[in-house]
Amino acid sequence: KPAAIFLSFAPIANQQDIEFFKWLGVEFTEDIENKLLQAGDEEIGHASVKVIKEIYSDIIGYIEKNNINVPISLNIEAIFLQNLELAAELIKSLKQK
């Protein structure tokens, strides 16, 4: 029986979150970082939720397309209190999939 795979996601609320995540060792592709920064301070949180949903959908699509039988579990983090609402939004939207 295959081991479960945990996908861990954490939405960001602002540009400082990006810098903190980088400090933690998280690597952002140039495309994703640009997408987030172009959203602007007011919408960066929702843009991060959208990016995470796209990545999750791509992963699940690949698993299904290739008939990979492995249990998938999710870990959603709110690194800072300011990210709690975004994490709740993400959980709600991924739960519907």
Side-chain angles (χ1 to χ4, degrees):
K1 184 176 179 179
I5 293 178
F6 282 84
L7 302 175
S8 186
F9 297 107
I12 62 164
N14 53 45
Q15 186 173 353
Q16 289 81 13
D17 286 358
I18 293 174
E19 296 307 317
F20 180 70
F21 276 46
K22 285 180 176 181
W23 181 80
L24 290 174
V26 174
E27 294 182 21
F28 293 84
T29 65
E30 187 176 329
D31 181 49
I32 288 177
E33 187 170 353
N34 287 338
K35 206 181 274 191
L36 295 172
L37 293 175
Q38 288 173 359
D41 285 339
E42 294 297 316
E43 291 298 317
I44 196 168
H46 296 293
S48 76
V49 169
K50 183 178 178 184
V51 166
I52 291 169
K53 287 169 44 177
E54 290 170 0
I55 292 169
Y56 176 76
S57 186
D58 287 348
I59 292 169
I60 297 303
Y62 181 86
I63 288 169
E64 290 173 352
K65 180 181 174 186
N66 292 283
N67 294 320
I68 298 171
N69 187 21
V70 63
I72 301 292
S73 295
L74 287 174
N75 175 50
I76 308 298
E77 289 291 334
I79 301 299
F80 299 108
L81 187 56
Q82 69 188 10
N83 304 51
L84 193 55
E85 256 184 60
L86 292 168
E89 176 186 333
L90 181 59
I91 290 168
K92 184 178 179 182
S93 64
L94 291 180
K95 200 174 179 183
Q96 295 171 353
K97 291 191 174 237

